[in-house]
Amino acid sequence: MAQKIQSVKGMNDLLPVEQKDFKLTAAFWQAFEDTVTRWTKSYGYQQIRTPIVEQTGLFVRSIGEETDVVGKEMYTFSDSNDALSLSLRPEGTASCLRAVVEHNLLYNNPQKLWYMGPMFRRERPQKGRYRQFHQVGIEALGFEGPDIDAEIVAMSADLWQKLGIAEHLTLEINSLGNREERAAHRAALVAYLSSHEEKLDEDSKRRLKTNPLRVLDSKNPDLQDICNAAPRLTDYLGEESLAHYQRFKAMLGGLNIAYVENPRLVRGLDYYNHTVFEWTTDKLGAQATVCGGGRYDGLIEELGGKPAASIGFAMGIERLLLLVAEYGSLQADAAPDVYTVHQSEGADLQAMKYAQTLRAAGFNVLQHSGYQSLKAQMKKADNSGARFVLIVAQDELAAQTVTLKDMQGKHPQQTVAAADLIHTLQQWKNA
Ligand code: HAM
């Protein structure tokens, strides 16, 4: 036998059934996507779909060369025909903005957009962390806030309610201020961290040179005291930034959205300023952040567009659904309504015709394929999870009737005239 080829490490198949080390099924995923589509629509957000591959320069310029994502984790290759460097997208914001600028969507209208799809980061795979993972993202472009800041956080909170996981998520917020405020804070932070340099680990020493704010993100327990006592960005915020942050917090309060202020929340991508936030959980081990985002006011300009204040967030679908599968209320809806069973010559065609009639009336019908004993077919019907079974055998064929069985046993098995098929099943379904 030829050797089997395996999927790429850190990249999952989504199957109709649960896998040993990956519980999520395609039907469960689909139920989530349906919920997301309804949810974004209910807030008036419009969908955008962009290619999975972009020019590498897009991510370098927007996410930042010194970030882990761009510096270490991107899948980058050169297009064979020319020297152009391309990368699989590691996130959706940069691509979304590239498309908005390219097609001039902000010409005279701000935009409320959403997207969903696979992203790629070459991280060390573990539960909740994959090399191909999926995000749902929201980007609100051309709005100064702070009202929109509160709107999108409230929107995320609403989705957690819909999925039945609100009680397992905590909202952390912070303000990163504007460029000048961050520069003043950065200078103070570098001076402070340099005075403790001998106590820093290698990673933090490197970050001190490249991206000092990210030292505050360190999970190293030995560094927590140093990080906690470091100069806080919030102390460097000017009047305008503070007012923006205060109003944002006041609006969250007014919407009854609980939050924790985390002065060390800096996010892993370089484009953020002012409001940043993350939704975290203590139910997924190390991969605690289910959703993160914030303001990125200068980014559209940096990508060649006219200046436009903007904010957004993205949630990791795998992480979120692992939580929902265990604690939430979302139900996969994969089973058909009806399974058709047939036996004797000509019954195959007749069953097929009934199936079409039922589908036209709104039923989902799984047709038995092949020619097996009635018993074997009934077993398949049972395994399919169908609520009802429609049987066409010799007698039914001759008398132009069908036999109907309610697999939940709520109605006795019944043989009805073909003309009464839809009516009977509708009655059974609604009873
Ligand atoms: P991010 O924090 O890099 O932000 O990613 C958002 C979410 O994607 C994370 O909170 C996490 O749930 C999920 N995620 C990230 N990496 C992985 C991975 N390797 N495996 C599984 N899940 C992962 C962004 O990507 C920004 N574009 C969010 C944003 C939109 N900010 C403004 N607009």
Side-chain angles (χ1 to χ4, degrees), residues 69 90-94 115 121 123 128-135 137-139 267-269 271-272 278-279 287 289-296 311-320:
V69 171
E91 57 107 52
T93 308
Y115 52 84
R121 297 184 191 175
E123 296 194 76
R129 189 162 78 190
Y130 309 101
R131 290 180 171 177
Q132 176 178 317
F133 62 99
H134 298 74
Q135 288 184 343
I138 297 289
E139 314 291 355
R267 308 276 301 129
L269 315 169
Y271 49 61
Y272 291 108
E278 287 186 353
W279 287 97
Q287 305 312 313
T289 308
V290 161
C291 174
R295 221 159 236 294
Y296 47 88
I311 187 166
F313 65 78
M315 63 195 82
I317 300 183
E318 285 85 352
R319 280 183 204 179
L320 192 65

Side-chain angles (χ1 to χ4, degrees), residues 32 35 158-165 320 324 327-330:
F32 171 71
T35 305
D158 182 24
L159 183 63
W160 315 148
Q161 288 288 351
K162 286 186 164 53
L163 296 170
I165 51 166
L320 192 65
V324 175
Y327 303 97
S329 53
L330 188 70

Side-chain angles (χ1 to χ4, degrees), residues 140-155:
L141 312 177
F143 303 97
E144 306 232 320
D147 54 340
I148 189 77
D149 305 27
E151 174 185 297
I152 69 162
V153 171
M155 190 174 167

Side-chain angles (χ1 to χ4, degrees), residues 29 36 71 109 115 162 176 179 240 296 333 367 386 389 395 401 409 420 424 427 430:
W29 197 286
V36 164
N109 257 333
Y115 52 84
K162 286 186 164 53
L176 302 182
R179 201 186 289 257
E240 230 175 272
Y296 47 88
D333 182 18
Q367 181 158 306
V389 181
D395 290 352
T401 59
D420 291 333
T424 309
Q427 268 191 339
N430 298 330

Side-chain angles (χ1 to χ4, degrees), residues 49-243:
R49 300 187 189 206
T50 60
I52 283 166
V53 177
E54 297 275 359
Q55 294 190 32
T56 304
L58 171 67
F59 303 120
V60 174
R61 210 194 296 176
S62 50
I63 300 171
E65 198 151 18
E66 304 296 347
T67 58
D68 286 350
V69 171
V70 168
K72 298 197 255 180
E73 297 167 359
M74 279 211 300
Y75 286 92
T76 297
F77 52 95
S78 68
D79 203 346
S80 59
N81 297 329
D82 48 44
L84 197 59
S85 174
L86 303 180
S87 292
L88 299 186
R89 62 180 183 195
E91 57 107 52
T93 308
S95 309
C96 178
L97 297 200
R98 195 266 312 134
V100 164
V101 170
E102 183 171 337
H103 303 288
N104 212 7
L105 292 190
L106 285 173
Y107 176 59
N108 53 11
N109 257 333
Q111 296 280 333
K112 293 185 172 181
L113 302 172
W114 74 278
Y115 52 84
M116 162 161 79
M119 310 291 162
F120 303 83
R121 297 184 191 175
R122 205 173 185 292
E123 296 194 76
R124 199 164 46 77
Q126 53 178 268
K127 186 180 172 194
R129 189 162 78 190
Y130 309 101
R131 290 180 171 177
Q132 176 178 317
F133 62 99
H134 298 74
Q135 288 184 343
V136 170
I138 297 289
E139 314 291 355
L141 312 177
F143 303 97
E144 306 232 320
D147 54 340
I148 189 77
D149 305 27
E151 174 185 297
I152 69 162
V153 171
M155 190 174 167
S156 57
D158 182 24
L159 183 63
W160 315 148
Q161 288 288 351
K162 286 186 164 53
L163 296 170
I165 51 166
E167 65 184 293
H168 301 295
L169 290 172
T170 303
L171 174 64
E172 295 184 24
I173 62 169
N174 192 18
S175 173
L176 302 182
N178 64 27
R179 201 186 289 257
E180 292 73 40
E181 291 153 2
R182 272 203 311 287
H185 169 255
R186 185 186 159 115
L189 184 65
V190 169
Y192 167 83
L193 290 173
S194 301
S195 70
H196 292 86
E197 194 165 354
E198 76 287 358
K199 296 192 200 123
L200 299 183
D201 57 20
E202 284 314 307
D203 208 31
S204 299
K205 279 184 187 154
R206 186 178 54 79
R207 284 180 170 169
L208 175 57
K209 302 259 156 8
T210 56
N211 193 350
L213 209 54
R214 291 277 286 156
V215 176
L216 301 182
D217 237 6
S218 170
K219 304 281 181 294
N220 182 344
D222 298 340
L223 296 185
Q224 297 312 303
D225 286 347
I226 291 179
C227 291
N228 284 332
R232 290 177 169 207
L233 187 43
T234 15
D235 296 332
Y236 288 77
L237 297 187
E239 221 171 286
E240 230 175 272
S241 297
L242 265 182

